[in-house]
Amino acid sequence: MSTPSEGSAQSVPGWRHIYSGKVRDLYASEDPGDTRILVVASDRVSAFDFVLSPGIPEKGALLTALSRWWFAQLDDVPNHLADGDIPAFVEDRAMLAQSLEMLPIECVVRGYITGSGWAEYQEHGTVCGIPLPAGLQDGDRLPEPLFTPAYKAPMGEHDENITFEQTVELVGAERAAELRAASLSIYARAAAIAEEHGLILADTKFEFGTDSDGTLRLADEVLTSDSSRYWDAEAWRTGTTPRERMASFDKQIVRDWLAANWDKQGEPPLLPDDIVGRTADRYRELLGRLGV
């Protein structure tokens, strides 16, 4: 699998690089008394658990601005943000965060059926093992939002959809119930805000961690174009085909191109300039629609 190497992270004075994910680089302070983490979003783009080339210009700054905006909308939800000055040359794409014990669960909430959920539904009539009514079409709104967790696999391995019962085994019954309730509540609030701006929040994923007091905190990116599917509400209402209905403001352009041009064997191909440019435009348009 193609993954970012340690060398792909920038040198940040006063901060020590400790980890690179598919998109973000994490740094610890060189001050031993400072436990905060510097989270820097890169321009890397991933799909199907692969990091692709080239990146999307200004993506790190755009998605950081979007995360900051959503954290502000949800300011009563405990989160990982910490106070302090961010180094100037990464200020537009970095957040200072508390050091948390991250939970190994991706808290996915689906309000509409599409993607891998649609594929499973066609074959089994379920999404992540949850039975659904017959007759749904790709892009339909679900009777109610579904909490469909995934196990966050170690770098180099694929994340795995799991049942709620498996979530309980991983984090305990009380914490699993807390994750489900928090995820569904945040999704409902965010979907309502998106709707006010003519957008549909089709699905999203959240990550949570606990602080030294055991408080559950929303962490990582939140409600960005990388972690969510946003559709144009008017197109969804009037479209007659799935493609018309699901006019997206996320990296679906990248997913669609890869699905049509790569068999998921070996390294993924380079993204064409047109796909890179169109994806960047859709990211920017989403921020404009939300007024970020």
Side-chain angles (χ1 to χ4, degrees):
M1 176 179 293
S2 174
T3 58
S5 65
E6 182 164 340
S8 66
Q10 281 185 284
S11 175
V12 181
W15 296 86
R16 174 175 52 86
H17 174 249
I18 55 174
Y19 177 77
S20 285
K22 296 185 186 76
V23 173
R24 275 165 295 282
D25 302 313
L26 304 185
Y27 300 79
S29 174
E30 292 179 348
D31 177 355
D34 187 352
T35 61
R36 297 172 304 169
I37 301 295
L38 184 68
V39 183
V40 180
S42 73
D43 291 343
R44 299 189 295 269
V45 62
S46 68
F48 305 121
D49 285 328
F50 279 79
V51 177
L52 310 172
S53 293
I56 308 298
E58 299 181 5
K59 173 176 175 284
L62 292 170
L63 297 196
T64 298
L66 190 54
S67 273
R68 287 173 176 167
W69 187 83
W70 276 113
F71 277 125
Q73 309 311 303
L74 304 164
D75 60 356
D76 59 326
V77 177
N79 62 52
H80 71 163
L81 296 181
D83 293 330
D85 295 328
I86 298 173
F89 78 101
V90 294
E91 185 175 13
D92 63 340
R93 54 192 182 88
M95 294 182 288
L96 274 175
Q98 299 180 47
S99 179
L100 302 178
E101 182 71 30
M102 296 300 294
L103 298 172
I105 306 295
E106 286 199 336
C107 295
V108 180
V109 181
R110 304 169 191 259
Y112 294 72
I113 188 167
T114 193
S116 62
W118 169 242
E120 179 187 330
Y121 175 78
Q122 288 179 289
E123 186 171 354
H124 301 292
T126 60
V127 170
C128 295
I130 301 171
L132 292 175
L136 294 176
Q137 301 298 313
D138 192 8
D140 278 358
R141 184 172 184 170
L142 294 168
E144 60 183 24
L146 299 179
F147 176 68
T148 58
Y151 171 65
K152 192 168 179 59
M155 177 63 77
E157 300 179 21
H158 293 282
D159 295 340
E160 175 188 358
N161 290 335
I162 58 176
T163 63
F164 182 73
E165 290 70 26
Q166 289 172 302
T167 305
V168 170
E169 292 175 6
L170 286 167
V171 300
E174 184 176 349
R175 187 66 80 188
E178 190 178 12
L179 288 172
R180 178 171 61 186
S183 299
L184 290 170
S185 174
I186 296 168
Y187 172 81
R189 291 175 58 183
I193 293 170
E195 188 175 357
E196 293 173 359
H197 295 271
L199 298 164
I200 285 173
L201 178 61
D203 55 44
T204 192
K205 64 180 180 182
F206 303 114
E207 294 193 36
F208 293 89
T210 56
D211 63 19
S212 58
D213 295 327
T215 300
L216 188 70
R217 293 185 176 274
L218 185 60
D220 201 64
E221 63 181 332
V222 61
L223 295 158
T224 71
S225 310
D226 269 15
S227 64
S228 316
R229 282 187 175 93
Y230 288 95
W231 299 337
D232 180 87
E234 182 61 25
W236 184 85
R237 283 192 291 268
T238 60
T240 57
T241 68
R243 181 170 293 276
E244 290 174 348
R245 296 176 70 195
M246 295 180 285
S248 64
F249 297 90
D250 47 52
K251 60 181 179 182
Q252 192 61 43
I253 295 169
V254 170
R255 295 190 193 100
D256 289 346
W257 185 85
L258 271 184
N261 293 277
W262 182 47
D263 61 4
K264 299 185 182 179
Q265 300 299 311
E267 292 293 310
L270 292 175
L271 297 175
D273 291 344
D274 173 60
I275 296 299
V276 170
R278 287 168 55 201
T279 302
D281 289 344
R282 295 301 272 177
Y283 283 4
R284 293 189 192 96
E285 187 176 350
L286 174 63
L287 270 68
R289 291 282 291 268
L290 289 170
V292 177

